[in-house]
Amino acid sequence: MSERIPIASDHAGFEMKEKISAALTALGFDVHDLGTSSPASTDYPDYGHPLAEQVSSGEVARGVLMCGTGLGMSYVANRHPHVRAAVAWTPEIASLARKHNNANVLVLPARFISEEDGIAILKAWLDTPFEGGRHETRVGKIELDEAE
Ligand code: RB5
């Protein structure tokens, strides 16, 4: 069975979301598009929270968010326990976000990267495994309730 991947954006990420959705589908993923569904102005938390809840609860393993800078969506997603949302603007950063930080949400800064870049960043994030080891210890200290 195909892995289900939720995606969501605000208006600033809408066009890139359509490209990312097509790329994920072509790669064989079961894409769950949580909106927004047009370029009309929206509030990014309305779309980021539902996606982050799915990752936080374990309903899905990972998801992809987009907004203009990537920052607002990352703030929203990282409020949720067990979510590690990484803004990535190059494939190398996406790869390091997986290797070192076990990022389970990718956030794309749609207004600052090309669609081609977005797809290259997506592929790097999808394909790179977590390295574990010393990074496992560090990632384990992120959650406040587990570090105390
Ligand atoms: C929308 O104009 C923009 O503020 C939003 O997409 C995002 O960049 C917020 O962090």
Side-chain angles (χ1 to χ4, degrees):
M1 205 171 77
S2 305
E3 179 185 343
R4 188 177 211 201
I5 292 200
I7 62 173
S9 75
D10 69 354
H11 55 287
F14 173 69
E15 281 183 26
M16 182 157 292
K17 178 167 65 62
E18 302 309 291
K19 303 293 177 191
I20 293 297
S21 176
L24 284 168
T25 301
L27 289 167
F29 291 95
D30 174 16
V31 179
H32 186 197
D33 188 339
L34 301 177
T36 187
S37 55
S38 86
S41 184
T42 55
D43 299 333
Y44 56 82
D46 296 344
Y47 300 92
H49 282 304
L51 184 144
E53 276 165 23
Q54 290 191 12
V55 176
S56 183
S57 69
E59 184 181 338
V60 295
R62 49 190 178 167
V64 183
L65 290 170
M66 287 140 275
C67 67
T69 59
L71 297 176
M73 281 297 201
S74 70
Y75 301 158
V76 167
N78 282 315
R79 306 285 296 200
H80 293 254
H82 315 300
V83 169
R84 293 173 300 278
V87 183
W89 56 97
T90 69
E92 187 180 14
I93 289 171
S95 172
L96 285 167
R98 290 289 314 132
K99 285 182 189 170
H100 290 190
N101 312 116
N102 201 9
N104 51 14
V105 173
L106 172 66
V107 191
L108 294 169
R111 284 183 172 154
F112 296 88
I113 56 173
S114 68
E115 283 166 5
E116 294 72 28
D117 288 343
I119 289 166
I121 293 164
L122 172 74
K123 286 181 176 169
W125 177 75
L126 287 170
D127 293 346
T128 308
F130 180 45
E131 278 184 1
R134 68 186 188 281
H135 301 297
E136 180 90 59
T137 308
R138 294 165 186 170
V139 168
K141 291 181 176 181
I142 292 173
E143 297 290 328
L144 291 174
D145 56 347
E146 289 170 15
E148 285 164 359

